Amino acid sequence: MLAIRGIAMSIDRRGFIAASALLSSRVLAEETAAQKPMTQSHGSSPRRPLRRIATEEAFATPEQMAGMIGLSRSGWENLDMGLWRAWGRLQPGQANRLHDQLLDLEEVRIKEMDDNGVHMQVLSLTSPGVQQFDAPTAVSIAQDANDKLAAVIARHPNRFCGLAAFAPQDPKRTPQEMDRAINQLKLNGFILNSHTNGEYLDDRKFWPMLEAAEALERPIYIHPRCPSDDMAKPFRDYGMAAGICGFHTETALHATRMILGGVFDQFPKLQIVLGHMGEGLPYWLYRIDHVWRSTGSPDRLKTGPMDTFHRNFVVTTSGVNDPKVLKFVIDQLGADNVMWAIDYPYEVTKPAVDFMNTAPISEEERHKLFYLNAERVFHIPAV
Ligand code: MN
């Protein structure tokens, strides 16, 4: 119960108890019973009620959904198409939980948050974002998604913030949209779903976008997508294309290419967020750094892989509710560089909340992972 003390204070202060019949009586009863004075100090931070900000939470727009379903009917045998192809076969009125929950922002989603004591979701356009479309379509669907995201955040400023989609297919025009997303729409960062047509951000043609993110002082969340057409074949068996193997293989490859390609020598303040406890990279860092130093070309980088990862990367817990991995990742990266995430609606909210409520870490670390780090990384105002 330690982990949820203080929440009732937070909810009360924000007027939700009086205002919202959506809040579940179960959570409220639990939290009222658990309300106690906070006894833990949080380093130099003021003593604050615990707040749960989930940082990798997916949505879709009708335009993205229609565009992807259209592509999935084109005969393109691309690994990312599997899910969308199934949704394209839905008959009118036929329910599909994931399809419906991705398109929903204000009904089931907010109730699910209330029922589980989740204060805020950091929303991002679901994988693979706009990256399978031709450039004009990608630009248009990203702009529309960013407008819709800003509108829902304006209606629920205490419940949602969001990461802007952008079109790497048009790297010269995209910095304008990135600027608009932060300075006009007041979004909190950027979402990229790994490769774009088999190309990665170490390619210099994409660097105007990295320059923009660094100058805007907002992170790029590199979310997984399935391996590209060029490397798809061995992932077609045993359901390996997505969360079992393809996602983290692909995304770890992407981040490693960026590190070794000198991206962070050029953009030393660029912040990258990786989900799924860092897509395996925290585990491999020693070996990557060691082999790079002994057999690679160390003189080609100012900062080596280990130091770069510690300086430029933050990871989230999405989809890995494993306390042993959490302990390791905090040991490797420090508690300031790990954020909590659910991976809604692909993962279920309650086990992710229970995991972080009860993880064997200090209360100071729990506050960092649940909200303090997210407030810092995504510029979310404290409440
Ligand atoms: Mn996800």
Side-chain angles (χ1 to χ4, degrees):
M1 288 302 104
L2 257 187
I4 56 172
R5 69 192 173 188
I7 287 296
M9 283 187 301
S10 156
I11 291 169
D12 194 35
R13 198 176 66 208
R14 291 155 60 186
F16 284 162
I17 288 175
S20 173
L22 288 173
L23 281 169
S24 101
S25 54
R26 180 181 58 75
V27 170
L28 278 182
E30 234 180 294
E31 293 179 346
T32 305
Q35 186 175 4
K36 294 177 196 168
M38 300 289 289
T39 53
Q40 194 80 32
S41 72
H42 310 294
S44 56
S45 311
R47 183 178 296 181
R48 291 176 50 193
L50 192 133
R51 181 186 191 194
R52 296 186 186 86
I53 301 177
T55 55
E56 188 199 297
E57 316 311 324
F59 78 103
T61 62
E63 292 76 12
Q64 181 206 20
M65 186 69 78
M68 288 299 296
I69 288 174
L71 272 184
S72 76
R73 289 172 172 153
S74 69
W76 182 5
E77 282 303 318
N78 173 279
L79 291 180
D80 285 296
M81 294 296 181
L83 191 57
W84 304 80
R85 193 167 287 130
W87 294 340
R89 294 192 197 108
L90 288 178
Q91 298 303 311
Q94 197 178 0
N96 176 284
R97 183 188 69 83
L98 274 178
H99 170 274
D100 295 351
Q101 288 184 2
L102 283 167
L103 289 169
D104 163 69
L105 283 163
E106 298 177 88
E107 292 178 23
V108 174
R109 185 181 301 256
I110 289 180
K111 182 173 187 317
E112 179 102 354
M113 292 165 68
D114 289 338
D115 285 351
N116 292 283
V118 177
H119 297 87
M120 179 176 269
Q121 285 193 358
V122 181
L123 296 169
S124 48
L125 192 65
T126 197
S127 181
V130 298
Q131 289 163 252
Q132 298 212 182
F133 300 126
D134 60 60
T137 307
V139 167
S140 156
I141 291 182
Q143 285 176 357
D144 175 70
N146 294 339
D147 288 339
K148 289 188 163 85
L149 188 51
V152 78
I153 293 166
R155 289 197 294 275
H156 305 279
N158 295 323
R159 310 312 301 277
F160 296 130
C161 62
L163 306 181
F166 60 95
Q169 297 93 321
D170 193 347
K172 292 214 171 76
R173 270 179 66 193
T174 285
Q176 287 170 33
E177 175 61 9
M178 296 172 79
D179 183 78
R180 187 183 80 99
I182 302 305
N183 288 321
Q184 290 182 37
L185 301 181
K186 307 296 180 191
L187 298 179
N188 302 78
F190 306 101
I191 180 80
L192 183 83
N193 295 282
S194 202
H195 72 87
T196 304
N197 298 318
E199 294 180 318
Y200 297 87
L201 292 180
D202 58 294
D203 189 321
R204 281 176 160 69
K205 75 179 176 189
F206 296 128
W207 286 18
M209 305 180 321
L210 305 183
E211 187 179 357
E214 187 189 48
L216 291 161
E217 300 181 341
R218 292 296 189 282
I220 300 176
Y221 200 127
I222 302 186
H223 185 280
R225 61 176 291 191
C226 296
S228 67
D229 295 352
D230 281 346
M231 58 188 279
K233 189 165 181 282
F235 293 93
R236 292 191 189 279
D237 303 319
Y238 315 123
M240 287 171 28
I244 290 177
C245 185
F247 275 7
H248 59 252
T249 303
E250 158 62 29
T251 313
L253 169 75
H254 195 155
T256 306
R257 287 191 64 98
M258 291 172 73
I259 293 169
L260 298 180
V263 162
F264 301 97
D265 281 348
Q266 185 71 25
F267 307 107
K269 293 184 176 158
L270 178 64
Q271 287 291 299
I272 301 294
V273 182
L274 295 177
H276 314 103
M277 296 285 193
E279 311 293 0
L281 283 175
Y283 181 90
W284 293 111
L285 265 184
Y286 174 89
R287 183 159 170 81
I288 291 168
D289 195 85
H290 169 74
V291 176
W292 172 79
R293 284 178 196 287
S294 55
T295 63
S297 306
D299 55 327
R300 288 187 51 225
L301 291 178
K302 285 185 223 156
T303 309
M306 176 75 83
D307 292 338
T308 295
F309 201 88
H310 282 103
R311 184 185 63 187
N312 296 88
F313 285 77
V314 179
V315 309
T316 79
T317 64
S318 54
V320 188
N321 299 330
D322 183 340
K324 298 184 295 298
V325 179
L326 179 68
K327 293 278 283 181
F328 169 75
V329 167
I330 290 174
D331 275 355
Q332 175 69 286
L333 305 179
D336 290 331
N337 296 310
V338 186
M339 300 185 288
W340 176 66
I342 301 165
D343 208 359
Y344 181 91
Y346 298 104
E347 297 285 346
V348 181
T349 301
K350 186 173 187 306
V353 173
D354 290 347
F355 163 63
M356 193 53 62
N357 280 344
T358 60
I361 57 178
S362 72
E363 289 311 296
E364 182 179 352
E365 289 171 331
R366 204 179 321 279
H367 280 248
K368 287 181 175 181
L369 270 62
F370 257 141
Y371 66 96
L372 288 171
N373 294 338
E375 290 176 354
R376 183 190 81 239
V377 170
F378 297 117
H379 297 237
I380 300 168
V383 289

